[in-house]
Amino acid sequence: MSVTFSSKSRVVQEATVNLMASDNRSKYGWRPQLSVWWIGAAAACLGFLLLILILGVVAHNSKAIGHQDSKCENRISSLTADRDALRDERYQLKLDSINLTKEMEVLRDTLQEEVNRLNLSKKDEPCQEGWKTFNGKCYYFSTSGVTRSWESSRKYCKERGADLVIITTKEELNFVVQSYRVTWIGLSDREQENSWKWVDGSDLIDDGFWQVGEPNNHQNDEHCAEVSRSAKRFNDVPCERKFSWACEN
Ligand SMILES: [Ca+2]
Ligand SMILES: [Ca+2]
Ligand SMILES: [Ca+2]
């Protein structure tokens, strides 16, 4: 009996609580169906807003990527055009170089022909009056009986655009010695003893042109060379002595 009574009392209590809760919800405007509807609507709105936001972000990124792609394409196009222009320029420079080389070769050949022509015409030119021609060169032989020192003889030649004769072959030696008994030639060791040099600065190559026993630098005072008709060889003598002379041009 006591158990039955307790069960009934709990049912009554739960019913009382439910009734009181129902009364409170009614009191504060609580309507279950309306609340569910608002929550669903809010969720839908939030979802919609989120979707719009995502779409906006995607659209923005797509636009930015598209813009970057466009800039890259323009840059590539510009670089390609520059590369093509440089290639054309290099090709043109190569052509110019080839043409310049050809022109230079033509000019060089023309210049060489002109030099040859001038050399020929010079060779054909007659020597000055009173000068003799030998193997394309002009020679002046001083007047018989007129003599000068080596330095004075050289001065005479230089004043006429020539210098004392430089003898390099036996033929030239024979040509020079036929004129006088003793003749100054353009050979000396005045700068350095026993270092015989021609007036153009070149060394005496052939020692076979000296007379036997010469050069002997007699009394340490023989620094200029003469050639005599009788010996047909060179001899060193004091430069102050006076002889005939021969110029060559
Ligand atoms: Ca000569
Ligand atoms: Ca000497
Ligand atoms: Ca001597």
Side-chain angles (χ1 to χ4, degrees):
M1 285 298 288
S2 62
V3 172
T4 306
F5 178 77
S6 298
S7 299
K8 283 184 178 177
S9 177
R10 194 180 302 131
V11 169
V12 172
Q13 282 178 351
E14 289 176 357
T16 305
V17 169
N18 287 337
L19 185 60
M20 287 176 67
S22 176
D23 287 346
N24 287 336
R25 287 195 289 259
S26 296
K27 182 180 178 182
Y28 294 106
W30 172 260
R31 290 185 179 85
Q33 289 181 347
L34 193 59
S35 299
V36 169
W37 186 86
W38 274 111
I39 290 169
C45 284
L46 282 171
F48 183 68
L49 287 173
L50 188 61
L51 181 63
I52 290 175
L53 183 64
I54 291 169
L55 288 175
V57 169
V58 169
H60 176 73
N61 287 342
S62 297
K63 190 177 179 182
I65 290 170
H67 184 62
Q68 286 294 329
D69 286 348
S70 176
K71 280 180 71 177
C72 283
E73 285 176 3
N74 288 339
R75 185 66 180 149
I76 290 170
S77 177
S78 173
L79 287 172
T80 304
D82 289 347
R83 184 201 61 191
D84 292 344
L86 283 172
R87 188 169 53 198
D88 292 346
E89 193 174 343
R90 187 179 65 178
Y91 179 71
Q92 188 59 46
L93 283 172
K94 197 173 179 181
L95 285 179
D96 291 347
S97 171
I98 292 170
N99 290 334
L100 278 173
T101 302
K102 287 180 180 174
E103 285 179 20
M104 197 170 68
E105 288 173 355
V106 169
L107 278 173
R108 185 190 60 200
D109 293 345
T110 305
L111 192 64
Q112 186 59 51
E113 288 173 6
E114 185 66 15
V115 168
N116 293 339
R117 191 183 64 76
L118 286 172
N119 283 341
L120 284 174
S121 61
K122 185 180 177 184
K123 204 171 182 178
D124 293 341
E125 262 182 19
C127 295
Q128 309 174 47
E129 189 178 348
W131 291 56
K132 294 182 179 178
T133 305
F134 178 74
N135 280 349
K137 304 294 289 290
C138 296
Y139 295 81
Y140 173 82
F141 296 96
S142 58
T143 307
S144 180
V146 178
T147 58
R148 288 174 177 245
S149 66
W150 188 89
E151 191 61 51
S152 177
S153 299
R154 189 179 183 196
K155 183 169 178 283
Y156 180 95
C157 297
K158 288 172 79 75
E159 285 173 352
R160 287 153 182 80
D163 210 331
L164 283 173
V165 64
I166 295 174
I167 298 172
T168 52
T169 64
K170 289 276 174 56
E171 292 73 25
E172 191 174 21
L173 174 65
N174 292 331
F175 171 72
V176 172
V177 298
Q178 69 185 351
S179 299
Y180 303 110
R181 193 175 68 84
V182 179
T183 305
W184 283 125
I185 59 175
L187 182 66
S188 78
D189 71 342
R190 300 195 307 169
E191 290 185 6
Q192 185 178 346
E193 178 56 34
N194 208 34
S195 175
W196 290 90
K197 288 184 179 298
W198 293 105
V199 285
D200 65 354
S202 60
D203 293 323
L204 173 67
I205 304 295
D206 192 346
D207 286 340
F209 284 172
W210 291 107
Q211 295 179 31
V212 177
E214 304 293 348
N216 60 359
N217 198 36
H218 182 62
Q219 295 182 339
N220 296 322
D221 190 31
E222 295 187 333
H223 309 308
C224 293
E226 50 86 2
V227 66
S228 63
R229 188 189 300 179
S230 56
K232 294 186 178 178
R233 290 288 185 276
F234 302 164
N235 175 34
D236 58 338
V237 291
C239 299
E240 293 71 31
R241 292 184 63 178
K242 295 187 176 178
F243 296 130
S244 301
W245 68 94
C247 308
E248 179 183 356
N249 184 15

